[in-house]
Amino acid sequence: EVVNALRKNEQCLRVASVGHVREIPENKDCKLVLLAPDYKEKALPTCVSDLLDTGDATLTDTSITVGFDNFSVTDILNAVLPENILRPTSFAPAGHIAHMNLRRDQEPYGNIIGEVILAKNPHIRTVVNKVNSIGNVFRTFEMKVLAGVDDMDVTHTENGCTFKFNFAKVFWNSRLSGEHERIVKQQLKKTDVVCDVFAGVGPFVVPAAKKGCRVYANDLNSYSSESLMENCKLNRVDGRVSVFNLDGRDFLRQITAEVFGSQSNGGGGKINATWPMFTHVVMNLPAIAIEFLDAFRGLFAGREDIELPKVHCYCFSAADAPEQDAINRVKQALGVDDLESKPEVHVVRSVANAKHQYCVSFKVPKSVAFAEPVTASGEPDAKRPRVDP
């Protein structure tokens, strides 16, 4: 009762790995309860005051020895950083790497912050800081090693799957693990066929294939597609996954051609048993994925008998009405005023103070899917984001 009361009003000593109650070797009938160094006698709970008043308890000085292991990262950073510098509170793990996004004013103290993170997390061997924003279509960024070994080859476990990749050459964000799990567990059935247009190293692909799905996976980054193939073999799902290294639009056209057994957008070919029709399309490239939605215009022309796939398209928004903004941008990219069915909008995560990542899920509208096919020299290709060599 005494310890619980002291904990409740924060009068107990709060040091990691140091218990609140200690034995008194010379008096086995009594216990020593450690109070915080700055405790206030007048703030002690009533049950303690009553014991002091009756003489059943006394206040006494004592000393304990504490070291580095007894203090948290925050405790240590509070001791070594200037008061006006905001303490970094977290990092994103990728195997043995701790990935940090330090603010500009924190960067001069990056090395000491990295050393503290390294010392307090035994599984971490490398601490890196992103030194610029993601500025290319491969979603990679420049980074600086703050502490530890300069080793970017990692093995990471997520949602029961193992992934190997070079953190400097591919995109990986552990903060998206919950979204990867949501799509696979809540949106997909084991009988589904999934198209992942921007697959990366496979955080959607591998768990979907482990669930039993057939998966067509693509990434324009050759390092990502190579790692994806390795990860499929590593997790023993390579028999259910076909990997491509193409532009997103070219990938959708090629897969559709394979499905219908024809080298054109439509053509009325029979569905290929080796390449079953896909039921879901994942487009997780939030900066520009919406721009690729024009690839669906005329993609299934002449195949009005098929069940159209459900698309999960990711984007960022900082608008006052972000969910409606996301839906409106999807409509604009598809060239329609009506999606024909109610879209689902899911908030994925907060990116900045007023900016969030969203997932808009919707069935491809018939007016888009069965429209006049678009040629490679048509307007949509002219709008395709280009990558300078």
Side-chain angles (χ1 to χ4, degrees):
E1 179 187 355
V2 168
V3 173
N4 288 337
L6 287 167
R7 283 175 180 163
K8 189 173 182 181
N9 69 356
E10 299 184 346
Q11 296 292 298
C12 264
L13 179 69
R14 288 176 294 171
V15 176
S17 303
V18 176
H20 296 130
V21 181
R22 290 192 164 190
E23 300 288 339
I24 303 176
E26 61 272 18
N27 189 348
K28 296 190 182 213
D29 294 329
C30 294
K31 302 283 186 183
L32 190 66
V33 180
L34 299 178
L35 301 179
D38 58 349
Y39 83 94
K40 301 294 187 294
E41 187 170 349
K42 291 183 179 179
L44 292 174
T46 302
C47 62
V48 176
S49 298
D50 291 344
L51 291 173
L52 292 172
D53 290 342
T54 60
D56 292 318
T58 58
L59 293 172
T60 185
D61 292 330
T62 190
S63 63
I64 59 173
T65 301
V66 295
F68 185 82
D69 292 341
N70 298 114
F71 295 96
S72 67
V73 170
T74 301
D75 291 332
I76 298 167
L77 293 181
N78 283 338
V80 299
L81 295 182
E83 290 185 6
N84 63 324
I85 301 299
L86 187 67
R87 280 56 173 154
T89 57
S90 63
F91 61 83
H96 66 272
I97 295 176
H99 169 213
M100 307 197 73
N101 289 323
L102 296 182
R103 293 156 44 110
R104 187 66 60 84
D105 60 341
Q106 295 169 334
E107 288 179 356
Y109 308 95
N111 293 113
I112 192 168
I113 291 171
E115 291 292 349
V116 172
I117 297 294
L118 192 68
K120 298 299 289 185
N121 295 274
H123 64 288
I124 296 297
R125 294 192 290 111
T126 306
V127 183
V128 300
N129 180 46
K130 182 169 72 173
V131 297
N132 67 354
S133 59
I134 294 174
N136 60 64
V137 74
F138 293 157
R139 295 183 288 178
T140 57
F141 50 83
E142 292 183 27
M143 63 183 75
K144 176 184 178 182
V145 176
L146 300 179
V149 296
D150 187 355
D151 178 10
M152 299 296 121
D153 292 320
V154 305
T155 300
H156 185 82
T157 301
E158 178 182 284
N159 296 327
C161 303
T162 301
F163 300 91
K164 288 187 175 182
F165 52 88
N166 184 292
F167 189 65
K169 295 180 178 179
V170 304
F171 174 80
W172 180 271
N173 189 341
S174 297
R175 292 189 173 98
L176 294 174
S177 62
E179 179 61 12
H180 302 149
E181 183 178 34
R182 182 187 74 88
I183 291 293
V184 174
K185 283 192 173 181
Q186 298 180 22
Q187 295 287 337
L188 304 181
K189 304 185 298 292
K190 65 180 182 179
T191 54
D192 278 318
V193 180
V194 183
C195 237
D196 193 340
V197 185
F198 313 109
V201 300
F204 286 111
V205 173
V206 175
K210 286 189 78 170
K211 187 171 187 173
C213 299
R214 174 78 164 92
V215 186
Y216 309 134
N218 174 72
D219 203 276
L220 186 61
N221 184 345
S222 60
Y223 291 111
S224 293
S225 57
E226 289 169 7
S227 296
L228 174 54
M229 286 189 284
E230 181 183 358
N231 291 329
C232 289
K233 292 177 182 177
L234 184 64
N235 290 274
R236 299 181 180 180
V237 296
D238 48 307
R240 288 194 287 273
V241 181
S242 299
V243 178
F244 296 79
N245 176 217
L246 298 169
D247 168 85
R249 290 182 180 85
D250 294 338
F251 167 64
L252 285 169
R253 291 170 184 146
Q254 181 165 331
I255 285 298
T256 303
E258 295 286 358
V259 167
F260 296 133
S262 166
Q263 294 306 308
S264 64
N265 277 354
K270 293 183 179 180
I271 290 180
N272 189 333
T274 307
W275 299 87
M277 176 60 190
F278 46 94
T279 55
H280 289 262
V281 180
V282 178
M283 303 178 73
N284 184 23
L285 186 62
I288 58 172
I290 284 179
E291 298 176 37
F292 285 79
L293 291 175
D294 58 25
F296 289 104
R297 179 158 291 277
L299 190 64
F300 307 110
R303 297 297 314 198
E304 285 77 1
D305 56 326
I306 67 168
E307 179 72 21
L308 291 172
K310 186 175 185 178
V311 178
H312 310 279
C313 185
Y314 292 80
C315 66
F316 296 123
S317 181
D320 291 337
E323 295 188 8
Q324 190 58 51
D325 171 64
I327 293 172
N328 290 343
R329 286 159 57 201
V330 166
K331 290 179 181 178
Q332 183 179 16
L334 290 170
V336 297
D337 295 323
D338 181 13
L339 289 177
E340 299 176 9
S341 60
K342 187 176 180 180
E344 306 163 21
V345 182
H346 175 75
V347 183
V348 177
R349 65 187 181 109
S350 173
V351 179
N353 289 338
K355 183 179 178 182
H356 290 75
Q357 181 178 347
Y358 293 87
C359 175
V360 184
S361 298
F362 60 94
K363 278 242 181 173
V364 178
K366 294 179 181 179
S367 60
V368 174
F370 306 133
E372 187 70 21
V374 179
T375 64
S377 61
E379 184 182 18
D381 267 1
K383 290 182 178 179
R384 176 162 55 186
R386 300 294 180 186
V387 184
D388 293 329

